[in-house]
Amino acid sequence: MDLLQREGHYPVPPQAGPILGVEFSGHISSLGPSVKESFKVGDEVFGLAYGGAYAEYIAVNTHMLLHKPQHLSWEQAAGIPEVWITATQALYPVGEFTKGKSVLWHAGASSVSIAGIQLSIAGGASAVYVTAGSQEKIDFCVKELGATAGFNYKTQDWSKEIWKATGEKGVDLIIDFVGQNYFQGNLDVAARDGHIVGLGALSGTKLQAGVDIGALLRKRLRFEGSSLRSRDAEYQGRLRDKLEKYLSNFENGSFKLFTEKVIPWEEVVEAHKLMEKNVTKGKIICTIS
Ligand SMILES: NC(=O)c1ccc[n+]([C@@H]2O[C@H](COP(=O)([O-])OP(=O)(O)OC[C@H]3O[C@@H](n4cnc5c(N)ncnc54)[C@H](OP(=O)(O)O)[C@@H]3O)[C@@H](O)[C@H]2O)c1
């Protein structure tokens, strides 16, 4: 999202100014007059924003704010809200996941999928499949995160392989960030009554000629797009409440947090260059000293 916004290709919501960034951690330096929630000046907090989180100071709705527990570092806290809330939203209110369903997380080692894989396992998924662009990332998803199996989209026909791995039953819920290049594969690998949630279009938005949508009808599939940043503060607040319930899982280690690199904000260009390389397994955090 930051890369797209930087290049002028992201539909920035009207509440956001020109500064990038949708998640942060820090101290409260002042409060508006009508705050009803339990926040006071000086509190250590972290949260979600419509924009502006690359700045030193940010004004946010308290519906999108959480108290930072002592067990989380500033860097860990700053990297939680966007990805854990996005994964929660994709899995539950949008994806309608229930215990026993199988799930496929594309871009398995992306930060959203790192959260999503763990949430799927904790929610009782029957199997969690991933795709990723290297064996190292697949090993990480399987060995570190507990995914059932992973497939390298650069060297394997992932939809055929996953179809086989499910005993030709297919996957109940697919979370996709890739769009164009994966559209046909997602239709092919979905189970009957399956749900495909589109959260991004990393390969493009325009479908190739010859895409066969027959499976949409034959298998009674649903394809649903979603975007967290376009949701209103009340909706985001409800997801914030769900995230608050995970805080003890971060403390007891049942949910793991992964930070690829911490970089001073003066070197934000390096942070973007690193993100563009597609080599990360977790968050890139910029610190303001
Ligand atoms: N809709 C929403 O509400 C929402 C909210 C948050 C994020 N998102 C989207 O979710 C995606 C993941 O975000 P993130 O912050 O977790 O990303 P991230 O940690 O930066 O990981 C992105 C990964 O995607 C893979 N990738 C990139 N281009 C690809 C392509 N053309 N085909 C296949 N895989 C590709 C790369 O891994 P490989 O090595 O495996 O290729 C890359 O490392 C982004 O597209 C982001 O915009 C959507």
Side-chain angles (χ1 to χ4, degrees):
M1 176 167 58
D2 291 1
L3 301 181
L4 287 175
Q5 187 174 340
R6 189 194 73 206
E7 291 173 353
H9 301 310
Y10 191 88
V12 180
Q15 308 93 315
I19 298 174
L20 297 176
V22 296
E23 55 186 355
F24 59 88
S25 60
H27 293 97
I28 295 182
S29 64
S30 67
L31 280 172
S34 55
V35 171
K36 294 188 185 72
E37 296 182 85
S38 63
F39 295 105
K40 56 183 189 320
V41 170
D43 279 356
E44 298 186 348
V45 292
F46 64 114
L48 197 62
Y50 289 108
Y54 279 23
E56 197 172 358
Y57 288 89
I58 184 164
V60 291
N61 191 313
T62 51
H63 288 328
M64 288 135 83
L65 215 52
L66 295 105
H67 290 284
K68 183 183 89 62
Q70 283 305 311
H71 62 83
L72 291 177
S73 68
W74 290 112
E75 290 83 358
Q76 285 176 317
I80 291 174
E82 173 73 9
V83 294
W84 284 84
I85 286 178
T86 295
T88 301
Q89 179 186 221
L91 208 52
Y92 289 105
V94 180
E96 297 175 348
F97 171 76
T98 50
K99 190 175 173 182
K101 286 188 178 178
S102 56
V103 191
L104 165 58
W105 287 91
H106 285 303
S110 69
S111 292
V112 174
S113 290
I114 289 174
I117 293 163
Q118 296 181 77
L119 287 168
S120 307
I121 294 168
S126 57
V128 180
Y129 301 101
V130 299
T131 63
S134 70
Q135 191 57 43
E136 188 207 344
K137 285 188 176 180
I138 290 165
D139 289 345
F140 166 77
C141 294
V142 173
K143 292 178 187 155
E144 289 263 356
L145 304 177
T148 312
F151 302 90
N152 185 336
Y153 71 88
K154 291 183 179 161
T155 59
Q156 290 176 289
D157 184 336
W158 58 265
S159 68
K160 280 206 177 108
E161 295 299 329
I162 298 173
W163 184 250
K164 268 193 261 163
T166 61
E168 303 195 349
K169 185 176 165 293
V171 181
D172 298 311
L173 174 61
I174 300 170
I175 316 291
D176 181 48
F177 314 99
V178 181
Q180 177 181 285
N181 290 353
Y182 281 16
F183 193 84
Q184 184 72 64
N186 285 336
L187 298 185
D188 294 346
V189 84
R192 179 171 267 195
D193 292 316
H195 202 160
I196 303 160
V197 177
L199 296 183
L202 287 163
S203 65
T205 53
K206 295 195 176 148
L207 298 184
Q208 290 137 347
V211 167
D212 182 352
I213 60 167
L216 275 173
L217 291 81
R218 204 173 58 248
K219 295 198 262 184
R220 300 188 301 247
L221 305 181
R222 277 181 294 165
F223 184 98
E224 187 168 352
S226 184
S227 145
L228 177 63
R229 206 172 173 189
S230 64
R231 305 284 187 174
D232 64 33
E234 275 69 35
Y235 182 102
Q236 294 196 354
R238 289 195 292 280
L239 290 168
R240 183 270 319 257
D241 295 346
K242 280 188 190 292
L243 172 60
E244 205 157 33
K245 296 198 174 81
Y246 305 154
L247 295 179
S248 58
N249 297 73
F250 297 130
E251 183 167 23
N252 67 26
S254 53
F255 286 163
K256 295 183 205 159
L257 296 167
F258 294 87
T259 304
E260 177 77 30
K261 197 158 187 191
V262 178
I263 298 180
W265 73 330
E266 292 87 349
E267 293 166 33
V268 68
V269 173
E270 295 311 311
H272 275 229
K273 284 182 178 163
L274 177 59
M275 208 180 335
E276 283 165 349
K277 285 186 188 153
N278 288 337
V279 292
T280 54
K281 298 190 292 301
K283 301 295 294 189
I284 307 167
I285 303 294
C286 285
T287 50
I288 299 172
S289 51

